[in-house]
Structure formats: C-alpha cells, structure tokens
C-alpha cells in the first residue's frame, strides 16, 4: 500500500503542477529518444559532473564488435576480467570494483534494469546482444546515483535502435574465421502517427578452442526485436506510447574449465576432454511499454517492463570419490598439476575412471528468473528564488525473482568419453529468492551564472525473501528488509564555452541478496571525484581523478569465481580505490578528402585494502593492509587511430592492459599469481559503393597474441585468438 | 542575491547532512531452519558445560595427545624403516643374514601398524590445518582411498634415479598417493617384486635383480617414512596454532563467527564415521549402494589396508576415536552438550550403540577381507551397527545441538 501511495503521489504532483504548457519544437519521438538515451548528444561540452561517456551508433559501426568487452575497453575507468574470449558472459567493473559477472554495476537496456534479477541475484548471466545495440552510455561518479540499486561503481545503459521517422532499413551479412556467421537486419517506418521497427540478428561461431577429441566450442545467438509507436501529441503536449517486444536465445558450448599453465603455453586454445558435454542454453523475453508526455517546461517518461529469463547451464563442477567423500577442487588440480597428476590425466581423458580416480560431476544450474516493474521519471525546469532549477525526480517499483533447480549427474571417463555412471540425478540447490524494491531519486540542478550545482538523493527500500524449496526444508527461509538513503552532491563550473571543471561526492551501495543473513552487511562507500573537460567540437580532453572510500566490500561465491555454488557472501575490511581517468581525441583534417581521427583512453587505478583481515573468500585470503584488490589492472591504455575518406575508412585500436592479481592476500590458492599483461590490436576497414552498400573487413587480434586473462573459474583462460571477418552492409 | 545564497547554502547543507548522517538499516526474521541464523550459545546449566569448555577439552585433551602420539610413532617408524633398509643393503653385501633382514622388516612393519593405528584415530579429527588446501596435510600422511601402487612403483624408480622429468626428485611435490602411510604399507608389506602397473612397468624396473628391487623399495620407504615424520611435525605445530584460534572462537580474528561454529567443525570431523567408515570401508566392499570391483557383491579386494590386513583394526580405531570425541575423553564431550540441551536419551543411545559396534568389530577372528569372503553376514552386521550410530548422528544429535551437516553428508547413499 505504501508503494502504491508513493507512485500515485508523484503522478498526482506531476499533473497538478503543470498547467501552462508550451510545446517544444522537437517531435515526441525525438524527446523520447533523449529520455531513453540519457546523455544529451546535442551539447558539445557536457555539463554533467562526473564521467559520463557516450558511444554512438557511428562509433559502434566502425568495428561492429559483438563483444561488449572490446567496446568498453575504449572507456576509461572500466576494469574487465575476460573469460570465454567472445564476451558471452562479461565480467565488467568500474573504478576498481569487482568485475565478477558485472554484478556491481547497474546494467540497463533502454533505461530499465536488464539483469535477470538485479536485486535477488545480480550476477548478469544474461547480457544484451551487442549486435543490436545502437549506442551505449557509461555513468560513474555522482551521475550514477540516479541508476540503482548498485551505486558504488556506476551504470551502463545500452540503447536499442529507435523507431525511424521515415522508411529506413539495413541488412548486414558477415562471415569469418572459426565458422563465424552474422545476419543482421532491420526495417522501420513512420506513417503519420504510427511508427514501427523490426530488427533481427543472428551470430554464430564454431569457436576458437580445440576440444580434445574434437567437437564444437562455439555459440549460436539470436535476437529479434519489434517496436511499435503511436504519437498522441496535441498542441499542448508531446505525447507518445511505445511498445517494445524482444526475444533472444543462445546455445553455447562453453565451459568453466581452463588449462594448467604448462598446457596453456603449448596451446592456449586447448580444451580438456572433461568439458565435452558443457553447454549453456538460455532464452530471454522482454516486453516494455513506454509512455512519454511533456513540453518545454516538463516531461514525464513512464515505463512498464517485464523480463523472463530461463537458462540451463550444464558444465563440469568437479570430481567426487565413488561412495562419497570429496576430492580436490578443479581449480586446485589445475593450479598444482604435479600434485594431482592422476586427476589431471583423468580430466584430459588420458586414463579412465577407476576406483581411485573417481567420478566426474556435471551440474545443471537450471535457473528461472523474472524481473518486472514500473518506473516513472519527471524532468521539470523552473525558476525558484531567481535561480534556474532543473528537477529530475523518479520512482520505481521493481520485483524480481530467481528459482534455482540445480542438479548434478555423475559420469565416468571411459575411453576419452564421459559416460553416465547410471546413478540417479542428485538435486543440489532448490530454492527461491525474490525482492520487492521501491526506489526513488530526486536531483535538483541549480544554475547560477557559470556554475551548476546538483544536489541529489536516492532511496532504496528493499523487501527480500528467501525460501529453501528442497523437501522438508520449509523452515529454511528468511525475510529481510533494507532501507538506505544515498545522497550526492556535484558541481560543474563552466570556464568557457568549451571547457569546465567538475567535482562530485556520492554514497555507493550494493545490497546483499535475500539469502544472506543480516550479519552480511551491504557494501557501502563514499566516492569522490574531481575533473575537468574541454571540447571544441574537434578536440576533446577530459581528466578525472577519483577516490572511493569503501567501508566494506561484499563478494559472493558462485561457480564462476569460487568454483562452488553456495552463493555465500563475504564482507571485507575497509578498502579504497584511487585513480585517474583520461580521455583525449582530435580529428586531424589532412585535406578536403581525408580526416585522421585519433583518440586515447587511459586509466590508472590503485585499489587496495586499508585494513588487515582474514577471509575464506578465495580471492582474498589473509589480507594485509595495503594488499591490492584482485582483478584491478594498474594501467590500461587504449589508442584508436583512423583514416576516414569520403568512400572508405580504416581504423585501428590498440589496447594495453596491465597484469592483474588473481587473489589479494596470502593463504589462498592463487595467492601471488597474476594474469598476463595484454596487448591487442584490432583493425577494421570499409569501402562504400554509395547506394550499393558497404563492404568491410575486420581482424580482431591482428598479431594473434593470446595471454592468460584469468585463471578462474578453473584454470588458465585465453584471450580470443585472431579472428578475421568480411562483411557486406546494405542500407536504405 | 540573498535568496540565492540562502538557497545554495541550504542545498549544500542538506547534502552535507545527508552525506554524514545517512545510514543503512537492515532487519530480518528467519525460519527455524535458516542456515546461518545466529545460534545462541548453550547456557551453563550448572553442570559445568559450556561450548568454550567443550572446544578446549577436545582440542587440548583429545586431539592434541592423539597428534602428539602419532608424531612419536612416526619418529619410531622412521628409525625402524632406516634399520630395516640398512639390513637389506647389508644383506646384498653379504654383511647380514636373511633372518636379520626379516627381524628388521617385522619391526618396521610393527612400527607402521602402531603409527597407522593412531592415525586411524586422527582421521576422525580432521579439523583446521588437516583440511586446509583440500586436505593437503592429511593426504600427505594418508591419502586413502586415493591410492596408487603403480604410482609408488614409478616413484621408487624416480627416487632411485634422483630425477622426475629432468627436475630433482622432491617427495613433498609428489602426488599424495605416492607418499604417506598408504605408500609405506605397499613398500613394507607387499612381497611381490613385479611392478603393480597394469600397463608398462617403470623404465628400468624389470632389469633390476630381486635384491636391487628390494633395496630400491626400501630406500624409497626410508624417504617416505622421513616425509611422514616431517608431516607429523607440521600436524603438531599447526594444531597448536589452530587451537589458539579455536579457543578465541567468536572473537575478532579467530575466523569463527561464534563458538558454535567452532563446535560445528568438530562435529563435521565426526562425520568421517558416516562417509568413510560406513560407506567406503564397509558398504563399498560389501557391494551395498554401488557397484564395486566385483560388481554388486562382497568384494575382498576392495578393503582398506589390503597388504597389511589391518582393515578391521582401522574400523575399531575409527569407532574408538568417535567415542572419545563423543565423551570428551575424561573431560567435557558432546554427550555433555546433549545432556545440557536436555537430550540425555540421544547421549545414552549413541554411547551404547558405539560401544556395541566396537565390541562387534573386536570379535572378528579373521581379517575383514576373509570375513567378506567367508562370512559376509558378519560384515553386514558391522555395517548395520555403524549405520545405527551415524543415523543418530545425522538426526537427533545434529538437531538437538542445532549443528549443521557437513556438505559431504547431504544426499549421500543412505
């Protein structure tokens, strides 16, 4: 009842305040795009305080990356732990927060939470297909306070193609090495007040890894989306309603099993026999209804959304002794091959299962999620006490749920094949976590001459419920309520039309999941940033220093990072992350026919624990004051150079990512072990036949350099091998 | 202008107040079986029981003496194995008689039997350092049921040549099933000098004379016995350090959120009787619940300790260690905890059942393997008696003391 009251009150306030409407020049559809795509593109100099980065359609089209990781490397302050090489299940963090399954950043598609169950199970096992993404935005610092529930790091908003105002469409076909195939196309139009868009994409590959004994290690992903719009605008208000429907699926022969370091050196693309049955199979549906109403004084955007996600993730979990009892975890076997020589040979299929070298356990982490809600956001521009105020107020009622039906089957390695041992399937985790959450935020930007001061606060009111649904476990449940107010303060001072300085401070928060006892504290931090930016339309430069003072980190164990599935959460001691983010870009005009755009993104991060503590979390261990946080590279650099002529273009991206620690403290398996530093160059070229379309050629990882990008979940994982593509795109 | 400044100051003031004053609040309520709910330590009801005392007694008066005794036995074993190997080498040089060798071998075998007897008690005491890093320390001393006589044969030759794949031989870096008491049993009790590998024998083995083979094996046995003694030193020293943490359970830096959590680590260790003694040592060779090497029937070759024929003694030692933990030796034990929780019945029944199982196991006139072959009903009876104890352990014991089952006991074969 409280939830309904709060949303209703905001709606009433909105309709009663605005009585003298003035119609804007932009169409309702244009206005809607602005509200979906959060950073305004019109201003040359952004006046947001905080690192807000926008990558538009044109920039994405240069490389047509299917892998979000490759896109995000161009944004400073992003830390990534690569896993499968294709970016199927990315691990993204901002400003030193853990990248594990992107669980500490707020991920949105078209402005709504897109994770399978962002509150109840924040690990982002579903990630929107990059091929259909039209642009993306990354928010860090105080600008992230608007997008919860995760405010420690920031938010990533991926936007899909808007409904075109006139007939428009394209078809993009591509083939490449490793059996790569892509078919991508869209078409849309607006007739009078009605507009529509249909977009579909299919991307597949046989994979770049080589399974012992042969087999497909690739993936097949599909996405189809439709949007329908109707413009109800009158002389007084712009008003539009849009329905978006999307279906996506993926089957990928992926695994968590990596290699020993020695085997990696011989062939980084090898995959052991024991992973031959591993497979991820998911489907995702989304429906979203958006309503926009507004004029020059105010606008309100309301979205109702429902997402359903089902996945079956069948993969090797470990080894078990016949008759019960435990054996070393896979990670231990791969980290200490000499010690576990026989077990390793078993994984490779070199010896058969016997009394002593045991059963191979494959688990199906079968999960069903939904995420639904309604959110409304008001922009209101007014003058109070002689000062210009821009209010931005929003509320969201969100519900999500995860149902786990995890099972395990045991197999014998027989003549290099996994053969069922005939023992009945065992249920492992059978439970449910769900959350009802109300969020509100209020931001007021007060403008005085060249100074914009923004005061904001976000409230999160979370009711969480956990129930163990295994037989005779009715009494294993928990209800938990968490409330928090997260304030922010930021300022932007415009030094000239092209330059300004900014400062911000805000409170970061990561809620704990419903299953965790209340003794596990949510993550809480105070984040500071200070920066300056310059943009004259041809040259841009932005530098930001940041400092995150973290009260305690929260980490969750899953198969992907701990190699176990108890979803247990851990708290750390105090930690801090300090760093510098730098972006620069300039377009050199060589002559009337050639441009030479150059851009650079650099990040320096120093992330460390400020107190000593002992933890059972496998990435921490016995931590001393000053120990580095895991998976946080100290230096990252991306350099992009291109030549753009009227009918052709060539672009190259070079990236350097420092080595990263696999664990912070002493006494855990990967203590003192680091990933390799990574230097990668990607290349793309295109030639336009004008109205007959464009052909393009791309090479990812031109020099075919492969390094160990992580040793989790189980053993060393390679970055993607060289992959070449050729494609043709026709646009109308 | 005044308004402007006022408003700005107000905005900044509000923000500053929020930044300094906003806190998170979380409240929860949970079902009776919710996993990690805080457990209130049992109060002292006047009979002297509290969890701290239970932890201290088990750590200091039950486990520490067992580990110390094993260390003494490991030292004696190392000396006996050295003496035996000297005799074997002397025999080859015609400086000793076959009788001298046999006497020294028997002494070495007896020292192994004594040491493993104590270790079979320590198997029920796998808490803290013995479990760290996938039970690395425990497995270095005794890795059964993961054993490999073929692997030991290979390491005999690696040790003889001094290198493994070009690197100097270092037993501490070798797979657990090629070292420890299980490897030593094979080296001391196995009389067959042929390689036990079903595939090719280790390179050079077949070219050795019988005398050379015996010397190669005894030399490696000396190395294994030394390694066991070193591991025993580590067990004793690391237990002393871990005891300090156990006694601080519930305090910051102890690694245990409560005394109850520390108590739960001891009860976890007692589940060895269920997962290993009952299932692997008895049910598996009996052919109950899963197929063994003989199919689904009694299978003598699947028993523990098949060279030294000590299987039933190992089971007796397991049961006696369980009883010591239950009773707390001469001090406070789990039965006191049960009484403190008002469950005298479970305490009495478990003590009576474990005694019955010990008496029954001591009544064996043959080895376990012989019993499986000639009198499998007796083994089935022993299994049933051990199961009676572990069934109670998994139900009333756990429930009355609000302890949790170790993960390995969930979804087992029962």
């Amino acid at each position: 009842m409280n939830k309904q009251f709060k949303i209703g009150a905001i709606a009433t306030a909105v309709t009663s305040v605005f009585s003298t409407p003035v119609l804007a020049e932009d169409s309702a559809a244009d206005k809607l795009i602005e509200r979906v795509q959060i950073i305004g593109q019109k201003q040359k100099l952004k006046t947001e305080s905080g690192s807000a980065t926008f990558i538009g359609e044109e920039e994405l089209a240069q490389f047509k990356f299917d892998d979000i990781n490759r896109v995000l490397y161009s944004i400073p302050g992003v830390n990534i732990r690569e896993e499968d090489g294709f970016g199927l299940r990315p691990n993204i963090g901002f400003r030193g927060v853990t990248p594990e399954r992107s669980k500490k950043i707020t991920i949105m598609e078209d402005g709504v939470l897109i994770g399978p169950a962002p509150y109840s199970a924040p690990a982002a096992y579903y990630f929107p297909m990059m091929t259909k993404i039209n642009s993306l935005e990354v928010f860090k610092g105080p600008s992230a306070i608007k997008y919860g529930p995760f405010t420690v790091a920031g938010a990533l908003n991926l936007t899909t193609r808007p409904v075109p105002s006139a007939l428009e469409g394209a078809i993009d076909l591509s083939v490449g090495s490793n059996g790569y195939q892509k078919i991508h196309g869209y078409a849309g139009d607006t007739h009078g007040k009605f507009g529509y868009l249909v977009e579909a994409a299919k991307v597949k590959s046989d994979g770049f890894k080589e399974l012992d004994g042969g087999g497909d290690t690739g993936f097949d992903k599909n996405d189809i989306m439709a949007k329908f719009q109707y413009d109800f605008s009158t002389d007084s208000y712009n008003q539009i309603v849009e329905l978006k429907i999307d279906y996506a699926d993926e089957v990928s022969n992926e695994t968590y099993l990596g290699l020993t370091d020695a085997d990696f050196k011989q062939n980084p693309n090898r995959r052991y026999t024991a992973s031959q049955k591993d497979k991820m199979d998911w489907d995702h549906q989304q429906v979203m209804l958006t309503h926009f109403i507004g004029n020059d004084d105010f606008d309100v955007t309301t979205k109702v959304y429902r997402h359903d996600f089902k996945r079956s993730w069948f993969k090797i979990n470990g080894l078990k002794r016949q008759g019960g009892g435990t054996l070393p975890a896979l990670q231990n076997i791969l980290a200490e091959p000499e010690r576990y020589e026989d077990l390793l040979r078993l994984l490779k299929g070199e010896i058969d299962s016997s009394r002593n070298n045991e059963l191979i356990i494959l688990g199906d982490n079968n999960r069903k999620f939904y995420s639904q809600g309604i959110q409304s956001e008001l922009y209101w521009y007014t003058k109070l006490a002689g000062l210009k105020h821009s209010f931005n107020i929003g509320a969201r009622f969100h519900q999500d749920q995860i149902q786990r039906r995890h099972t395990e089957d045991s197999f014998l390695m027989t003549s290099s094949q996994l053969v069922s041992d005939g023992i009945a399937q065992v249920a492992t985790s059978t439970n449910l976590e769900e959350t009802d959450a109300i969020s509100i935020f209020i931001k007021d930007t007060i403008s005085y001459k060249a100074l914009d001061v923004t005061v904001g606060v976000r409230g999160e009111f979370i009711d969480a419920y956990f129930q163990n649904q295994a037989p005779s476990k009715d009494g294993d449940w928990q209800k938990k309520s968490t409330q928090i107010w997260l304030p922010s303060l930021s300022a932007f001072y415009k030094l000239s039309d092209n330059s300004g300085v900014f400062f911000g401070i805000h409170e970061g928060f990561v809620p704990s999941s419903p299953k965790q006892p209340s003794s596990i504290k949510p993550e809480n931090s105070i984040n500071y940033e200070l920066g300056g930016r310059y943009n004259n339309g041809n040259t841009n430069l932005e530098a930001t220093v940041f400092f995150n003072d973290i009260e305690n980190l929260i980490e969750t164990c899953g198969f992907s990072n701990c190699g176990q599935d108890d979803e247990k959460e851990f708290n750390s001691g105090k930690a801090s992350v300090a760093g510098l983010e730098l972006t620069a870009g300039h377009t050199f005009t060589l002559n009337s026919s050639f441009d030479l755009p150059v851009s650079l993104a650099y990040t320096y991060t120093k992330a460390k624990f400020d107190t000593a503590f002992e933890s059972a979390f496998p990435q921490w261990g016995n931590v001393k004051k000053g120990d580095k946080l895991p998976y946080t590279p100290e230096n990252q650099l991306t350099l992009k150079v291109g030549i753009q002529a009227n009918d052709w273009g060539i672009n190259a991206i070079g990236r350097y990512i420092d080595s990263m620690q696999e664990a912070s403290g002493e006494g855990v398996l990967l203590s003192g072990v680091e990933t390799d530093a990574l230097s990668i160059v990607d290349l793309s070229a295109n030639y336009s036949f004008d109205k007959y379309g464009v052909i393009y050629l791309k090479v990812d990882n031109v020099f075919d350099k492969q390094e160990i990008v992580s040793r989790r979940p189980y053993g060393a994982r390679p970055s993607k091998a060289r992959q070449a593509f050729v494609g043709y795109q026709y646009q109308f | 202008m005044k308004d402007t400044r006022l408003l700005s100051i107000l905005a900044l003031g509000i923000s500053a107040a929020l930044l300094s004053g906003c806190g998170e609040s979380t409240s929860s309520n949970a079902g009776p079986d919710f996993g990690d709910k805080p457990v209130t330590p049992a109060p002292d009801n006047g009979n002297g029981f509290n969890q701290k005392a239970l932890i201290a007694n088990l750590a200091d008066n039950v486990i520490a003496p067992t580990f110390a005794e094993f260390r003494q036995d490991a030292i004696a074993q190392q000396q006996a194995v050295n003496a035996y190997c000297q005799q074997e080498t002397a025999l080859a040089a015609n400086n000793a008689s076959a009788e001298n060798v046999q006497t020294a071998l028997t002494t070495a075998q007896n020292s192994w039997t004594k040491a493993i007897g104590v270790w079979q008690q320590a198997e029920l005491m796998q808490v803290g350092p013995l479990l760290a890093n996938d039970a690395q320390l425990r497995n270095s001393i005794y890795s059964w049921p993961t054993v490999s006589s073929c692997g030991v044969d290979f390491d005999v030759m690696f040790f003889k040549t001094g290198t493994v794949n070009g690197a100097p031989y270092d037993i501490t870096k070798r797979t657990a099933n090629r070292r420890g008491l299980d490897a030593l049993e094979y080296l001391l009790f196995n009389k067959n000098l042929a390689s036990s590998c079903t595939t090719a024998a280790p390179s050079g083995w077949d070219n050795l004379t019988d005398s050379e083979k015996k010397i190669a094996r005894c030399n490696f046995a000396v190395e294994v016995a030394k390694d066991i003694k070193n591991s025993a030193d580590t067990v004793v020293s690391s237990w002393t350090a871990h005891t300090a943490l156990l006694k601080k359970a519930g305090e910051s830096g102890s690694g245990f959120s409560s005394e109850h959590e520390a108590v739960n680590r001891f009860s976890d260790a007692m589940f060895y009787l269920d997962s290993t003694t009952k299932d692997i040592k008895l049910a598996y060779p009996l052919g109950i619940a899963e197929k063994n090497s003989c199919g689904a029937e009694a299978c003598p070759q699947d028993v523990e300790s098949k060279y030294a024929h000590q299987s039933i003694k190992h089971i007796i030692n397991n049961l006696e260690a369980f009883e010591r933990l239950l009773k707390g030796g001469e001090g406070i034990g789990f039965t006191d905890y049960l009484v403190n929780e008002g469950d005298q019945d479970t305490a009495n029944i478990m003590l009576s059942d474990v005694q019955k199982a010990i008496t029954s196991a001591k009544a064996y006139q043959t080895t376990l393997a012989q019993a499986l072959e000639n009198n499998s009903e007796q083994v089935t009876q022993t299994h049933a008696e051990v199961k009676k104890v572990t069934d109670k352990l998994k139900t009333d014991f756990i429930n009355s003391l609000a302890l949790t089952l170790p993960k390995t006991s969930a979804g087992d074969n029962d």
Side-chain angles (χ1 to χ4, degrees), chain A residues 124 164 268 297 382 409 528 592 650 690:
Chain A
D297 294 330
T382 189
D409 290 276
Y528 307 84
S592 60
I650 298 175
D690 197 17

Side-chain angles (χ1 to χ4, degrees), chain B residues 18 52 66 71 81 95 111 119 123 125 194 266 276 297 312 320 352 402 406 411:
Chain B
L18 286 170
K52 213 176 186 62
T66 306
R71 183 173 168 273
V81 174
N95 292 330
S111 72
W119 188 257
E123 289 278 85
M125 301 169 188
F266 290 100
T276 306
E297 57 191 50
I312 196 67
E320 286 179 344
S352 161

Side-chain angles (χ1 to χ4, degrees), chain A residues 171-183:
Chain A
I171 180 99
D172 179 6
L173 305 168
S174 177
V175 292
S177 50
N178 305 128
Y180 177 86
Q181 292 172 29
K182 178 172 75 174
I183 306 171

Side-chain angles (χ1 to χ4, degrees), chain A residues 141-422:
Chain A
S143 52
I145 204 89
K146 180 175 160 182
Y147 314 105
F150 314 102
T151 60
V152 285
L156 169 64
N157 183 38
L158 303 146
T159 52
T160 57
R161 190 176 307 282
V163 174
S165 55
L167 180 65
E168 187 183 316
I171 180 99
D172 179 6
L173 305 168
S174 177
V175 292
S177 50
N178 305 128
Y180 177 86
Q181 292 172 29
K182 178 172 75 174
I183 306 171
H184 176 211
Y186 74 90
D189 197 0
T190 297
H191 298 281
K193 292 182 175 298
F194 175 73
Y196 70 91
L197 171 80
V198 180
E199 179 158 9
K202 180 182 185 68
V203 180
K204 62 182 289 192
S205 165
D206 297 339
F208 64 94
K209 290 183 189 144
E210 298 151 16
L211 185 62
D212 287 352
D216 191 329
T217 61
F219 65 91
D220 187 345
K221 292 183 75 163
N222 301 288
D223 192 294
I224 180 159
M225 177 183 78
K227 287 182 177 179
F228 305 98
Q229 240 178 33
Y230 196 85
D231 192 334
F232 291 95
S233 297
T234 63
D235 290 344
S236 307
Y237 297 104
N238 279 317
Q239 185 169 197
I240 198 163
V241 173
E242 182 182 279
L243 175 69
K244 174 186 165 192
I245 306 167
D246 188 282
Y247 171 84
D249 61 32
E250 174 190 311
V251 176
S252 53
N253 298 302
E254 256 310 324
T255 183
Y256 278 165
L257 188 63
L259 301 170
T260 65
D261 281 18
D263 286 335
F264 186 96
K265 274 181 196 154
Q266 290 198 338
N267 178 7
N269 297 326
R270 180 179 179 183
R271 245 177 76 170
Y272 297 143
T273 308
S275 70
Q276 65 184 204
K277 287 186 181 294
D278 290 9
K279 182 178 282 186
M280 168 69 97
D281 187 349
W282 60 250
D283 62 72
H284 184 264
Q285 293 108 40
Q286 57 169 308
V287 182
M288 183 164 83
L289 188 66
T290 305
H291 173 254
F292 172 85
I293 185 167
N295 57 31
D296 278 355
D297 294 330
F298 85 102
D299 59 71
V300 178
T301 309
T302 304
K303 294 169 196 276
V304 183
Y305 57 92
R306 162 92 186 190
H307 305 152
D308 287 280
F309 181 58
K310 267 193 307 192
R311 56 159 251 197
S312 162
W313 190 192
F314 192 60
K315 77 238 167 297
I316 181 168
N317 281 356
L319 302 176
K320 196 169 136 189
R321 187 177 285 150
Q322 292 183 46
T326 56
L327 277 172
L330 292 172
Q331 205 174 56
N332 295 56
I333 295 169
L334 297 181
E336 298 174 273
E338 200 175 58
R339 192 176 144 201
Y340 300 119
E341 191 180 328
D342 293 341
L343 296 176
L344 181 61
R345 291 183 68 207
L346 181 77
L347 294 175
K348 292 176 179 177
E350 292 172 0
I351 53 172
D352 287 353
S353 291
S354 69
R355 173 71 189 130
N356 293 331
N357 47 34
E358 323 305 348
L359 299 169
I360 295 172
I361 304 301
L362 271 69
D364 183 7
N365 279 12
N366 199 319
R367 298 177 185 175
K368 205 166 126 185
F369 305 74
Y370 74 74
S371 165
Q372 62 186 16
I374 178 168
Q375 66 186 47
S376 199
E377 184 182 358
L378 160 73
Y379 282 84
W380 173 36
Y381 312 100
T382 189
K383 276 199 166 185
L384 289 174
L387 288 172
K388 214 170 102 185
H389 288 254
S390 304
F391 285 101
N392 183 197
I393 300 168
R396 177 176 70 205
F397 173 56
H398 174 92
Q399 293 179 308
D400 61 41
Q401 186 190 83
I402 173 174
Q403 271 189 19
R404 295 185 182 87
R405 297 291 181 268
H406 295 189
T407 55
E408 282 186 345
D409 290 276
S410 42
F411 290 81
L412 300 165
M413 182 67 77
T414 307
S415 305
S416 301
Q417 294 295 318
L418 290 174
V419 179
S420 171
D421 70 345

